[in-house]
Amino acid sequence: MIDSLLPLVVAIPLLGAAVTLALGRRSRLQVIVSTASLVLVTLLSLALMFDIDTNGTAVVHVGGWEAPWGIVLVADRLSAIMLLISALMLLGVLIFSIGQGIADQNDEETPVSIFHPTYLVLAAGVFDAFVAGDLFNLYVAFEMLLSASYVLLTLGGTGARIRAGVTYIVVSLVSSIIFLAAIALIYGATGTVTIALISERIRDLPMDIQMILCVALLMAFCIKAAVFPLSFWLPDSYPTAPAPVTAVFAGLLTKVGVYAIIRTDNVLFVDVPLRVPLMVVAFFTLLIGILGALAQADIKRLLSFTLVSHIGYMIFGIAIGGVHALSATIYYIVHHIAVQTTLFLAAGLVERVGGSTSISRLGGVLKASPMVAVLFFIGAMNLGGIPPFSGFLGKVSLFQAGLEQADWLIYVLVGAGAATSLLTLYALVRVWNMGFWRSRNEVTGYSSPLLASLRESPDDSGSVMTKSISKLMLGATTGLVAVTVALTLLAGPLFGYTDRAAENLSNPDNYVSAVFGEGER
């Protein structure tokens, strides 16, 4: 079976990272190796997704050591779809970065030779997180992400990027310490770090012990996922990085945390009553995030705050529980990975065409580059939840799942979700009106009370500097926009797939049986 190839989704990018590092400054060879690595992982992920959907969960005991004595890699339907969408986004962003290098001729904004090995290590960390069958392997995946992220955030060595990198690494280290402490506590209580075995043994512990262990894990994962009030670090960390780095961070890294929360809630701590606290957290994540977005003049900071707010939809779906809600949550995660990545790439194109990402200085982008305007518009309408895009379908499905339960708290969350969607649309339409519809001639001398009340990026120099756009940059962004449209066109089959994925998640014994079969616990 093809499931024996599961370790390759991690091994291929790690091997590619080693090769690109050895190639040094031979940029063309680095590009070939990096692209080939991610193309291979994308094709393998697609094959795994179909195989797992047909034959069931893929399990590989690394080195032949059976769980819980050795490392086990596990990929069910949720893991498979996360692998595929992540590989597609990583490949698209890599092509964009190559095009940016061509356009910039290796200036300080262009990824240098260390970019390719670091980027592939980041990719390996993302893939490893989705197939990790034990908590310590998941911790290793997070540390791979942390080390690679710091290098990518600080590319170029500007003061703003160093400050953002320091903030990011301090917060991430705190999260890692909490995660490692939680692993130690869980090991002390259950005698294992294998997720499937923890799922069985944790049920025998007193509920107060289960609650402590669950909250410790969720604290670490909520920092990774940028869940309010642990999301303060994100808006100041992401926007300063180069466009390709910002895009892949915004699209993928927080979703690794959300994925870990799903596993915690549906496999490890099934009986812990955290429904109400998660709903409260989802409520504040939705509203505080979008209110922060409304106060921003800089497009990248605005998108960073909308990223935080839309994590609230995912936490809402996790809190509801059940097959319908989990299915809608998985679909929404896939949608958001694609749309958020695409929008940050489009924002990078807007910055090059308009010379800035501040709407106080942007104007005439529609006339200057209709193609860039169309790419941004499609992503904006999708994120805002305009029908028939996938953002609308995902939110409606989440709301329907919630309204199946007659609960006043869910009604409040549905209202908050609808308000967040409308405010997201308002914020993005404001960007469109100021940056795209308004002519460049109107920018000089233009003033309004609304514009004056918006907050500029603290690292904004106030300058306007346009740059050229290569065909690869446009092509990569167009390709990812096509992926977001495909999520709408293929919504029926995708919801069928996510329904089957949710059914597996709703019964943790399926996960345990896949890992151990008839083997000894």
Side-chain angles (χ1 to χ4, degrees):
M1 284 179 61
I2 196 173
D3 59 359
S4 60
L5 301 179
L6 182 60
L8 292 180
V9 299
V10 180
I12 289 173
L14 282 179
L15 180 61
V19 172
T20 53
L21 184 63
L23 288 172
R25 294 188 176 274
R26 298 177 183 177
S27 57
R28 290 187 179 181
L29 290 177
Q30 284 187 323
V31 165
I32 292 171
V33 172
S34 298
T35 306
S37 298
L38 291 180
V39 167
L40 284 173
V41 174
T42 302
L43 294 175
L44 180 58
S45 299
L46 182 62
L48 280 169
M49 182 175 168
F50 282 105
D51 183 72
I52 290 168
D53 194 33
T54 303
N55 300 313
T57 302
V59 179
V60 173
H61 301 278
V62 179
W65 289 85
E66 295 290 328
W69 312 113
I71 296 173
V72 59
L73 302 180
V74 185
D76 57 9
R77 290 185 176 92
L78 172 61
S79 302
I81 196 170
M82 295 296 285
L83 284 173
L84 178 59
I85 192 65
S86 300
L88 284 171
M89 294 302 109
L90 285 161
L91 179 59
V93 172
L94 177 64
I95 294 171
F96 183 98
S97 70
I98 295 168
Q100 181 173 301
I102 294 172
D104 290 347
Q105 294 299 312
N106 297 320
D107 73 3
E108 64 176 8
E109 291 290 325
T110 306
V112 292
S113 59
I114 197 63
F115 171 80
H116 291 278
T118 308
Y119 190 79
L120 289 175
V121 169
L122 179 82
V126 171
F127 300 144
D128 191 26
F130 294 145
V131 300
D134 64 79
L135 289 179
F136 191 76
N137 192 14
L138 183 60
Y139 171 79
V140 171
F142 280 173
E143 292 309 292
M144 291 167 65
L145 291 175
L146 172 60
S147 57
S149 299
Y150 179 72
V151 175
L152 293 173
L153 274 175
T154 55
L155 279 177
T158 64
R161 291 178 185 175
I162 295 298
R163 286 194 299 273
V166 169
T167 300
Y168 177 82
I169 200 167
V170 168
V171 172
S172 296
L173 283 174
V174 170
S175 172
S176 296
I177 292 170
I178 295 172
F179 187 16
L180 195 58
I183 292 174
L185 291 173
I186 290 171
Y187 182 79
T190 64
T192 184
V193 293
T194 302
I195 291 173
L197 195 51
I198 294 171
S199 177
E200 286 192 328
R201 293 181 179 177
I202 206 77
R203 304 171 197 178
D204 298 328
L205 297 177
M207 182 53 64
D208 56 345
I209 300 298
Q210 291 189 46
M211 179 72 75
I212 292 171
L213 298 178
C214 182
V215 169
L217 268 188
L218 287 179
M219 281 282 289
F221 297 151
C222 284
I223 294 175
K224 301 288 186 185
V227 175
F228 181 85
L230 305 173
S231 57
F232 61 90
W233 57 271
L234 190 148
D236 290 325
S237 297
Y238 285 6
T240 60
V245 175
T246 304
V248 79
F249 278 26
L252 292 178
L253 297 198
T254 51
K255 309 313 181 301
V256 174
V258 174
Y259 170 86
I261 293 172
I262 292 175
R263 289 292 182 205
T264 300
D265 190 63
N266 291 278
V267 178
L268 290 176
F269 298 94
V270 180
D271 300 325
V272 176
L274 285 176
R275 178 174 176 272
V276 172
L278 285 176
M279 286 193 176
V280 172
V281 166
F283 174 82
F284 284 107
T285 303
L286 283 166
L287 292 186
I288 300 300
I290 196 58
L291 291 177
L294 292 174
Q296 305 304 314
D298 184 84
I299 297 176
K300 291 188 289 187
R301 284 182 63 84
L302 184 153
L303 291 175
S304 295
F305 275 101
T306 62
L307 167 60
V308 172
S309 71
H310 285 236
I311 295 295
Y313 288 111
M314 304 167 204
I315 302 302
F316 175 40
I318 295 170
I320 297 171
V323 172
H324 189 178
L326 285 173
S327 174
T329 302
I330 296 169
Y331 181 84
Y332 197 83
I333 291 171
V334 173
H335 144 80
H336 199 259
I337 288 173
V339 171
Q340 198 77 50
T341 304
T342 302
L343 267 177
F344 269 99
L345 289 185
L349 296 178
V350 169
E351 183 176 19
R352 299 175 76 89
V353 171
S356 175
T357 52
S358 172
I359 61 174
S360 63
R361 291 189 299 282
L362 268 179
V365 176
L366 177 60
K367 183 177 180 181
S369 180
M371 184 65 177
V372 171
V374 169
L375 294 175
F376 185 88
F377 182 81
I378 294 174
M381 294 300 100
N382 203 337
L383 187 66
I386 296 297
F389 289 115
S390 56
F392 171 78
L393 298 175
K395 289 168 188 171
V396 168
S397 185
L398 276 172
F399 296 161
Q400 287 178 338
L403 293 175
E404 289 174 358
Q405 305 178 26
D407 187 321
W408 69 270
L409 187 56
I410 288 181
Y411 296 151
V412 171
L413 262 294
V414 170
T420 298
S421 186
L422 292 173
L423 291 174
T424 300
L425 184 62
Y426 166 74
L428 293 170
V429 167
R430 186 177 65 193
V431 170
W432 179 264
N433 288 337
M434 299 297 293
F436 293 81
W437 278 120
R438 183 175 59 163
S439 70
R440 191 176 293 274
N441 294 332
E442 294 180 78
V443 176
T444 304
Y446 183 91
S447 63
S448 73
L450 174 62
L451 197 59
S453 67
L454 298 180
R455 183 173 182 264
E456 297 284 358
S457 171
D459 300 308
D460 189 357
S461 63
S463 61
V464 175
M465 183 181 299
T466 61
K467 295 182 179 180
S468 62
I469 295 175
S470 69
K471 292 181 180 178
L472 270 182
M473 297 171 73
L474 275 176
T477 310
T478 303
L480 295 189
V481 168
V483 172
T484 67
V485 174
L487 294 179
T488 301
L489 298 178
L490 301 175
L494 278 174
F495 269 113
Y497 182 91
T498 58
D499 284 345
R500 295 190 293 276
E503 288 172 2
N504 280 354
L505 282 171
S506 297
N507 186 359
D509 290 337
N510 291 336
Y511 187 95
V512 175
S513 298
V515 173
F516 290 109
E518 298 301 322
E520 183 179 346
R521 267 51 160 195

